[in-house]
Amino acid sequence: MRKSTRVFYLASGSAIVLISLYGFLLLRARPGIPASLRGREVLRIDGVGIHTIRDFGFALSGKRIGDEADFDLRSAGKTETVRARLAAYYSQTSFPFIFFLIGVFGFLIGGSVLLLKPEDPRARIFFWAAFCFSASLIINGDYYCVRDKGASMVPGVLFNFAYPMVAAFFLAFSLTFSRRPVRRSALILYLPAATLGALLNITFLGSVLRSSQALFILQQRIFVLFRWSFLAYVITAAAALVVSLKRAEGKGEKARIQWLLYGLVVGLGPFALFYQFPLALGSGPLLSEELTGVFFLAVPAAFAISIVRHRLMDIELVINRSVVYALLTILTASIYLVSIELLQSALARAGPAAGRVAAVAAAVLSAAAFHPLRKRVQDVVDRAFFRQRSDYRKAVLAFAEAAQRTSDPESLAGLFMARVIAAVPLDRAGVAVFRITGESKKLILSRGLETEPPPAGLKVEQGWILARKNALAAREQAGRVRESLPASSRFEVAVPLPFSSTLLEGFVALGRKRSEERYREDDLDLFMTLADDLALNLERMELRDQVILERASREKADELNRLKTEFISSVSHELRNPISSIQGLSEMLESGAIADERKREGLLHLLASECGRLSRFLHNVLDFGKIEQGARTYLPRRTSLRALIEDVAKLSGCGSGGEGAIIRTVFPEEPVFLNIDADAVKQALMNLVDNAIKYSPEQKEIDIELVDAGGNVEVRVRDRGIGITAEDRGRIFDAFYRSPRAAAAHAGGVGLGLGIVRHIMEGHGGTVRLESVPGRGSVFSLVFPKP
Ligand code: ADP
């Protein structure tokens, strides 16, 4: 919409609303003849002759409640003049208020349609129709509002113009449904109504400004013309709709036009037939204007249904629930007031004394009917307007979409609960899923069911919904519901999750509706659709997990094979080295070529340490076998740790690879004794020191420190070697694992040492701690808890 057009609509729309409100205020203060004179024949008021009912309007215009006026009355053939104070015209009736409410309803619908479809020509026509309709309804009459010759005439002017135009706009609107659009002739269509409006206003203003009854009488004549035109417009509009209805294609279009027709016939029909038509003929109305006017309510109501339910003008509304309830309250308040009016007049007719009693009784009776009525209307509106149509559809779509992006069952269940709780809305929801293995049933997912119903105990068979007694509106029970959910349950229904796999079973449980209504068919449909989706996605996740698991175990088997092959080659390497040096050394010694006693001793020492290394290696391999079979046991004995560490320091550092290694030891002043398997711990420490030497290619400086700190005794082995990356830290204790860097730095090694160290420490209730900076060195600590 162009800016100027928008400003135009905004300005004229608000002007119409404001003038209507002003007119309503004036109307509320409309003066009427005092109660004492009611029922008597009035000939003149302040000299203005009274011939028809409408003459009162003119005679009293410009006056206020409480003003005095001279009434010429005739009774029993005699005339008398009485001076009396004017009373409030509407003291007894709430009709202006009813019309006001209907009018507000009209404004809201007209305004919303224009806001939603500002570009649609049909929406624009509808806007004008609705605004003219509401303005004429709220202002209610031209002369009624006049208090002086100033601003109080404005509502009357709007009324005189809007009233004829309503019918024209309705006709134009009806014609938009015909197959051949009638745009060009549109002006001709408005012309009679606009002319009548102008004439009514000229005579209205003239009669008021000049206080001319002659002009008023002329205005009344034009008003009769207008009545005829009104009938003609409404009948043509209805006929046009009937024709369009016949030609309409598709269920939607038919339903749309049907509702418009209902609105027109039910809303304007009684008014046109029982009020306008007799008046146009010059006789009295068959029903009062007020009474026929009540049917106007059908106009905005039917139009609203057509728009919202049947997507009139392609408006797909996702109406905020509070807006609908606000409208609903207006609607029911109007119905309430009308019913009071009707009851009151019916009861009053029953007996003359019933006057006051009637008013009270009517109020009580209507109030009694009000609550069920409101509930009923609310129910109808709920069905018609939005729940299942938009909220439910939205919830299903949103869930399906979000479920695609969700990767774990927990969040999926959470998503389900959030969606269903918000859509209905509910006070709670829950999900339970079980995995069936043979006879047993294991709960693998449970959300929102913390306390009850006991998930494992509740069996929801496929195809059946479990419900608490009275949880469902009566006629929704058919066929698929069993009322077997315990009365104590905080859930109203449980719906099975329709898994296609027989390995899964589950249900969703739904709590109370916040609106405190019972469940209806569409609620159950929503639950089942969402449950379908939930089940489908849960199965998808289950399948994916299985595939991942299979792939992982296959990869693990491959890895194990690779490690085994590596192990065999490392073992042969590990054996070949010491064996060939033992062989060389012993041959050398045997040949007698080494004469120097000290040299021979050195060689013998080397021979011994090579044998030691070989035996340690074999020990590790054998131990690994024992550990794998769970046969490795430890025999604790009181042992001095200092002695143990000193032994290890002496043993290592010699032999091939150990040349040039410096091993330093640090001990606390107090001796430290522990109950340990000395051989095993020595083996563990030996492994650490061997590694420290192996993985320190250049600076082979090793510190072994005994620390007696707090609740632990620690033996720390520090090196300044290649260090261990964060990535490797989690794997180096695995059997056969060797980091590629380590394998490059030192060919020897089979990847069993650290695994054995860990096993030994665990066998002593302790742990192995590792701190390391890659490239700078590592500290392995054997941590023993103190007894
Ligand atoms: P091996 O030394 O026979 O390979 P281990 O089980 O003793 O087997 O050690 C496993 C791996 O841990 C080694 O391959 C190496 O990658 C790493 N590692 C052990 N100790 C050290 C250390 N002091 N410095 C750097 N890396 C080490």
Side-chain angles (χ1 to χ4, degrees):
M1 200 188 264
R2 278 215 314 273
K3 197 171 169 216
S4 55
T5 324
R6 203 165 40 212
V7 170
F8 167 69
Y9 272 96
L10 194 71
S12 36
S14 3
I16 291 176
V17 171
L18 288 176
I19 296 172
S20 303
L21 291 179
Y22 178 47
F24 178 66
L25 290 179
L26 292 172
L27 187 73
R28 295 282 302 156
R30 177 181 171 189
I33 57 172
S36 57
L37 302 184
R38 275 186 204 142
R40 297 178 66 177
E41 189 183 348
V42 179
L43 299 179
R44 264 180 296 275
I45 300 174
D46 277 349
V48 177
I50 305 291
H51 309 289
T52 70
I53 323 175
R54 282 190 58 98
D55 290 343
F56 281 104
F58 177 70
L60 294 178
S61 75
K63 298 193 190 309
R64 288 161 203 273
I65 297 170
D67 284 357
E68 289 201 327
D70 288 327
F71 291 86
D72 291 351
L73 305 167
R74 178 158 53 198
S75 52
K78 277 194 287 176
T79 54
E80 56 169 332
T81 305
V82 175
R83 191 157 181 78
R85 280 185 189 284
L86 295 175
Y89 184 87
Y90 290 116
S91 61
Q92 293 286 315
T93 167
S94 44
F95 276 110
F97 196 59
I98 295 173
F99 289 161
F100 174 77
L101 290 178
I102 302 175
V104 169
F105 198 24
F107 279 143
L108 288 176
I109 294 185
S112 340
V113 164
L114 189 73
L115 278 180
L116 290 165
K117 290 271 153 177
E119 299 304 334
D120 186 345
R122 187 188 272 176
R124 293 183 184 187
I125 299 176
F126 182 79
F127 166 82
W128 288 115
F131 268 55
C132 287
F133 172 82
S134 294
S136 16
L137 211 55
I138 291 177
I139 300 172
N140 212 272
D142 44 3
Y143 289 93
Y144 308 157
C145 302
V146 176
R147 293 290 174 275
D148 48 47
K149 292 178 180 172
S152 70
M153 295 189 300
V154 177
V157 172
L158 176 60
F159 172 81
N160 276 331
F161 205 74
Y163 203 177
M165 290 306 284
V166 176
F169 281 122
F170 270 132
L171 174 58
F173 184 68
S174 311
L175 289 176
T176 58
F177 291 91
S178 67
R179 284 275 194 78
R180 272 174 300 139
V182 274
R183 264 206 210 140
R184 268 206 206 135
S185 49
L187 266 184
I188 301 172
L189 201 125
Y190 297 121
L191 206 59
T195 315
L196 279 168
L199 289 176
L200 282 175
N201 266 330
I202 292 166
T203 44
F204 164 64
L205 290 174
S207 69
V208 173
L209 289 174
R210 297 192 179 174
S211 307
S212 152
Q213 195 171 9
L215 276 177
F216 170 71
I217 291 169
L218 182 58
Q219 209 245 8
Q220 294 306 291
R221 298 241 163 86
I222 302 168
F223 214 86
V224 174
L225 265 184
F226 151 70
R227 288 188 203 287
W228 282 114
S229 83
F230 188 90
L231 283 172
Y233 271 123
V234 171
I235 291 171
T236 320
L241 283 181
V242 171
V243 173
S244 312
L245 182 63
K246 281 220 170 120
R247 294 200 183 142
E249 278 166 11
K251 246 171 131 182
E253 180 75 357
K254 268 205 161 56
R256 255 166 261 162
I257 300 177
Q258 225 159 29
W259 275 102
L260 296 181
L261 201 57
Y262 292 157
L264 217 57
V265 171
V266 177
L268 298 185
F271 178 67
L273 275 182
F274 301 119
Y275 183 78
Q276 290 285 35
F277 188 55
L279 280 184
L281 284 178
S283 70
L286 293 177
L287 287 176
S288 77
E289 181 176 12
E290 280 86 0
L291 220 54
T292 50
V294 166
F295 287 92
F296 290 158
L297 188 56
V299 180
F303 279 55
I305 291 178
S306 182
I307 291 170
V308 179
R309 190 167 179 192
H310 300 293
R311 301 185 58 216
L312 179 66
M313 292 179 252
D314 283 329
I315 291 177
E316 178 135 39
L317 277 189
V318 179
I319 306 183
N320 188 315
R321 192 157 297 154
S322 49
V323 172
V324 174
Y325 283 124
L327 289 178
L328 191 67
T329 309
I330 295 181
L331 200 83
T332 31
S334 319
I335 296 175
Y336 175 63
L337 291 174
V338 171
S339 38
I340 288 190
E341 285 294 333
L342 294 180
L343 269 173
Q344 212 169 340
S345 61
L347 287 175
R349 227 173 281 144
R356 269 236 186 102
V357 183
V360 177
V364 171
L365 279 177
S366 317
F370 185 63
H371 185 65
L373 182 75
R374 204 189 120 83
K375 273 223 119 101
R376 179 84 198 119
V377 173
Q378 187 169 328
D379 195 49
V380 167
V381 168
D382 269 359
R383 277 162 185 268
F385 276 63
F386 49 92
R387 287 225 171 135
Q388 58 279 51
R389 297 226 134 230
S390 54
D391 286 18
Y392 283 13
R393 195 169 40 201
K394 247 175 56 183
V396 169
L397 286 179
F399 178 67
E401 200 184 302
Q404 296 278 319
R405 281 181 271 120
T406 311
S407 54
D408 67 305
E410 283 279 332
S411 356
L412 186 69
L415 202 69
F416 166 84
M417 286 155 60
R419 278 290 163 204
V420 76
I421 284 175
V424 180
L426 297 175
D427 65 348
R428 62 172 56 91
V431 178
V433 178
F434 306 90
R435 180 174 292 124
I436 314 289
T437 23
E439 287 294 288
S440 73
K441 195 167 162 181
K442 189 174 155 231
L443 184 65
I444 54 169
L445 173 66
S446 166
R447 292 277 314 250
L449 299 166
E450 288 74 18
T451 49
E452 58 111 26
L458 189 70
K459 181 150 178 61
V460 189
E461 268 174 66
Q462 285 306 331
W464 284 96
I465 293 174
L466 295 194
R468 250 162 51 100
K469 209 168 168 56
N470 295 332
L472 289 93
R475 71 197 123 99
E476 327 288 355
Q477 308 266 6
R480 52 177 172 166
V481 177
R482 278 191 196 146
E483 283 194 336
S484 52
L485 213 56
S488 61
S489 171
R490 291 185 309 156
F491 291 95
E492 298 285 290
V493 301
V495 178
L497 285 170
F499 291 116
S500 55
S501 148
T502 50
L503 300 180
L504 291 177
E505 215 176 68
F507 60 84
V508 295
L510 296 313
R512 238 167 281 266
K513 274 192 182 186
R514 284 198 201 282
S515 63
E516 300 199 338
E517 286 169 2
R518 294 177 185 194
Y519 284 134
R520 290 191 308 259
E521 196 76 35
D522 356 289
D523 300 319
L524 298 184
D525 283 344
L526 171 79
F527 300 151
M528 294 182 70
T529 314
L530 287 181
D532 266 0
D533 241 11
L534 179 63
L536 197 76
N537 279 290
L538 285 173
E539 278 192 304
R540 171 176 64 80
M541 288 173 187
E542 180 80 3
L543 202 70
R544 178 205 57 194
D545 289 351
Q546 250 170 29
V547 170
I548 290 177
L549 212 69
E550 270 165 24
R551 189 185 303 157
S553 58
R554 220 178 23 244
E555 276 170 9
K556 198 152 187 176
D558 290 349
E559 169 82 356
L560 220 60
N561 271 337
R562 191 180 63 75
L563 289 174
K564 266 185 195 153
T565 321
E566 256 174 40
F567 172 68
I568 290 167
S569 81
S570 326
V571 167
S572 35
H573 182 268
E574 202 73 343
L575 288 174
R576 199 180 317 119
N577 265 357
I579 287 175
S580 50
S581 69
I582 289 170
Q583 207 172 12
L585 280 171
S586 42
E587 274 170 9
M588 217 191 287
L589 286 166
E590 204 177 30
S591 67
I594 313 292
D596 182 9
E597 193 59 25
R598 280 185 55 206
K599 231 179 184 173
R600 270 170 68 94
E601 227 166 74
L603 287 179
L604 275 172
H605 189 68
L606 198 58
L607 186 65
S609 79
E610 280 303 293
C611 287
R613 196 174 133 206
L614 187 61
S615 108
R616 283 205 301 276
F617 170 70
L618 290 174
H619 229 93
N620 270 350
V621 176
L622 290 176
D623 270 353
F624 173 71
K626 273 197 200 157
I627 288 172
E628 284 286 278
Q629 288 162 18
R632 178 83 154 101
T633 49
Y634 302 104
L635 275 178
R637 246 175 293 142
R638 195 172 140 80
T639 310
S640 158
L641 280 174
R642 179 173 182 143
L644 185 144
I645 293 168
E646 279 172 340
D647 257 7
V648 171
K650 222 188 299 157
L651 279 175
S652 46
C654 7
S656 56
E659 311 90 6
I662 302 169
I663 298 177
R664 286 189 291 255
T665 47
V666 180
F667 301 103
E669 280 172 13
E670 296 290 313
V672 183
F673 284 92
L674 278 179
N675 255 341
I676 50 174
D677 184 323
D679 288 338
V681 174
K682 208 186 272 183
Q683 184 190 0
L685 189 56
M686 206 69 211
N687 280 350
L688 292 186
V689 177
D690 271 353
N691 278 351
I693 295 170
K694 259 197 305 197
Y695 301 117
S696 301
E698 281 142 26
Q699 201 183 353
K700 294 182 193 287
E701 280 181 41
I702 318 295
D703 294 304
I704 309 176
E705 189 181 358
L706 176 62
V707 183
D708 184 359
N712 293 329
V713 171
E714 294 188 17
V715 184
R716 298 179 184 157
V717 180
R718 177 193 308 276
D719 66 51
R720 290 162 186 74
I722 58 172
I724 297 158
T725 59
E727 196 185 329
D728 279 336
R729 233 164 266 182
R731 304 187 60 186
I732 53 177
F733 290 94
D734 293 348
F736 307 127
Y737 180 78
R738 301 202 65 209
S739 87
R741 259 157 41 93
H746 193 281
V750 287
L752 290 179
L754 285 181
I756 291 167
V757 172
R758 186 170 61 182
H759 192 270
I760 292 170
M761 286 315 290
E762 280 169 2
H764 285 81
T767 51
V768 191
R769 198 179 59 226
L770 163 62
E771 294 135 83
S772 178
V773 181
R776 305 275 298 276
S778 320
V779 182
F780 282 86
S781 310
L782 304 177
V783 183
F784 298 91
K786 272 213 282 213

